[in-house]
């Protein structure tokens, strides 16, 4: 058979029949094969391989939250303005509202008088000297056991008979010359009526006589004869003191008995009781320390009861210098 040879040349593909050796050529013309020129494909440009390596993520700067505490120094506060302390005059004037004058009817006439302090304003307890209201036997000098209480809420004004008080002999101590009275009746003109509790009377602040030292200032308040019925005010210093007596150089006179001895804070630390003569026209006030009277006050406070209705104490006249002041009925 015939072979078909494909020759490839510069002109493309060409076909030529090849007859095997010794074979007669076929009379049939061989078809001419026209090669379809296929365009030479353009070489695909070599694309460099894409680096598929995933780049390391960019380092995002870490956000660090830093708490900054700014301490603003607080301004140094100005020192508090000290509260001005009341003067001794103010303290004494306040305490004097609790000062009373006592008048006692003995043997048919008011021949005893002195001073005292309201130590319980609700129950009406008054502290004074025994020698004003009682005798050496321990009995009240008034047959009914009462004393008149002259009082003024304003120390600058002369006191008037405002109350009648029962002498509490059972809560007094004649040996210490201390007496406790309880206000039982209110005086209005010539009439007396039982008081109602609480009385709401001013009471003197209580001190501690054990805290006294030599040279401490003291204030003595009372109703001495020379004061003509008004409060007397004298100042001094503690000259000596012990458990039995406080001595001071404050001016003292008859009528001061039972009066207030106040310390520098206006507190009651003693009861004026005696005059001690120390030389030519020299004298010291001897005061019983308040701590000696405290147990009596506490006992009376615990035992006190409102006054029952009953007979009213007798009212009387008392001398006021050269005058006669009417205390209730004539």
């Amino acid at each position: 058979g015939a072979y078909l040879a494909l020759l490839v040349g510069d002109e493309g593909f060409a076909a030529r029949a090849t007859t095997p050796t010794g074979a007669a050529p076929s009379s049939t013309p061989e078809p001419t094969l026209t090669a379809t020129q296929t365009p030479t494909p353009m070489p695909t440009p070599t694309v460099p391989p894409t680096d598929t390596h995933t780049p390391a993520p960019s380092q995002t700067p870490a956000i660090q939250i830093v708490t900054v505490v700014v301490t603003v120094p607080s301004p140094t506060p100005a020192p508090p303005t000290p509260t001005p302390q009341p003067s001794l005059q103010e303290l004494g004037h306040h305490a004097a509202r609790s000062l009373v004058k006592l008048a006692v009817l003995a043997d048919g006439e008011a021949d005893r008088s002195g001073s005292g302090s309201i130590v319980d304003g609700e129950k009406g307890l008054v502290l004074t000297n025994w020698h004003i209201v009682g005798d050496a036997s321990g009995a009240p000098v008034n047959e009914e056991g009462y004393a008149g209480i002259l009082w003024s809420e304003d120390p600058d004004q002369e006191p008037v008979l405002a109350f009648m008080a029962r002498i509490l002999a059972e809560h007094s101590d004649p040996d210490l010359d201390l007496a406790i009275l309880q206000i039982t009746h209110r005086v209005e003109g010539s009439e007396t009526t039982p008081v109602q509790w609480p009385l709401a009377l001013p009471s003197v602040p209580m001190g501690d006589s054990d805290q006294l030292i030599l040279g401490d200032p003291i204030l003595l308040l009372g109703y001495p004869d020379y004061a003509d019925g008004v409060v007397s005010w004298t100042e001094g210093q503690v000259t000596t003191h012990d458990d039995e007596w406080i001595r001071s150089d404050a001016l003292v006179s008859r009528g001061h008995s039972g009066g207030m001895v106040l310390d520098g804070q206006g507190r009651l630390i003693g009861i004026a009781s005696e005059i001690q003569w120390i030389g030519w026209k020299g004298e010291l006030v001897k005061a019983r320390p308040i701590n000696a009277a405290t147990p009596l006050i506490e006992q009376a406070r615990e035992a006190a009861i409102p006054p029952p209705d009953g007979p009213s104490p007798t009212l009387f006249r008392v001398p006021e210098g050269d005058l006669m002041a009417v205390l209730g009925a004539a």
Side-chain angles (χ1 to χ4, degrees):
Y3 297 91
L4 179 61
L6 294 178
L7 299 177
V8 179
D10 295 336
E11 299 300 329
F13 292 98
R16 187 177 59 178
T18 301
T19 301
T21 304
S26 176
S27 60
T28 305
E30 296 292 335
T32 301
L33 297 177
T34 302
T36 303
Q37 185 177 4
T38 303
T40 303
M42 295 296 292
T44 303
T46 302
V47 178
T50 304
D51 187 359
T52 58
H53 175 69
T54 302
S58 59
Q59 296 293 328
T60 302
I63 299 176
Q64 183 177 7
I65 300 176
V66 178
T67 302
V68 179
V69 178
V70 179
T71 302
V72 178
S74 300
T76 302
T81 303
T83 303
Q85 295 298 316
S87 65
L88 183 60
Q89 183 180 18
E90 293 171 319
L91 294 169
H93 195 274
H94 177 76
R97 297 175 59 242
S98 306
L99 183 70
V100 300
K101 182 174 183 178
L102 289 88
V104 185
L105 182 66
D107 299 326
E109 60 181 15
D111 64 348
R112 295 198 182 191
S113 64
S115 306
S117 303
I118 301 174
V119 293
D120 188 318
E122 294 187 354
K123 297 183 177 181
L125 298 182
V126 176
L127 174 64
T128 188
N129 282 142
W130 177 257
H131 72 257
I132 299 173
V133 298
D135 59 23
S137 68
V141 295
N142 178 262
E143 294 181 357
E144 296 178 353
Y146 279 86
I149 303 293
L150 289 79
W151 175 73
S152 174
E153 190 172 3
D154 182 358
D156 291 326
Q157 300 297 319
E158 187 173 350
V160 297
L161 181 66
F163 307 102
M164 296 298 290
R166 187 170 69 87
I167 303 165
L168 303 181
E170 65 275 23
H171 299 299
S172 300
D173 190 332
D175 292 336
L176 294 178
D177 197 15
L178 296 173
I180 304 290
L181 292 77
Q182 182 186 359
I183 293 174
T184 59
H185 291 75
R186 188 181 302 275
V187 178
E188 297 177 351
S190 60
E191 301 294 329
T192 61
T193 56
V195 297
Q196 301 295 319
W197 282 7
L199 273 71
L201 293 172
S203 57
V204 62
M206 304 296 285
D208 183 356
S209 52
D210 289 342
Q211 300 301 314
L212 289 176
I213 61 175
L214 294 178
D216 275 351
I218 67 104
L219 175 61
L220 176 60
L221 300 178
Y223 285 101
D225 295 343
Y226 69 79
D228 295 329
V230 297
V231 176
S232 170
W233 174 301
T234 58
E235 297 179 32
Q237 294 177 313
V238 175
T239 56
T240 64
H241 71 96
D242 51 35
D243 292 340
E244 187 176 6
W245 294 108
I246 300 169
R247 293 174 174 83
S248 171
D249 58 355
L251 180 63
V252 64
S253 179
R254 174 184 168 87
H256 269 124
S257 291
M260 295 179 176
V261 179
L262 307 175
D263 63 11
Q265 285 72 49
R267 300 171 300 195
L268 184 65
I269 48 90
I271 304 94
S273 302
E274 296 181 10
I275 298 174
Q276 180 178 356
W277 302 97
I278 59 173
W280 180 253
K281 293 185 178 180
E283 60 190 26
L284 293 176
V285 56
K286 292 177 64 177
R288 191 67 72 182
I290 190 60
N291 288 8
T294 300
L296 303 177
I297 298 171
E298 293 303 322
Q299 293 169 14
R301 181 179 286 124
E302 292 177 3
I305 59 174
D309 292 334
S312 297
T314 302
L315 299 180
F316 50 88
R317 294 175 182 266
V318 295
E320 291 291 342
D322 296 331
L323 302 176
M324 294 296 290
V326 176
L327 302 184

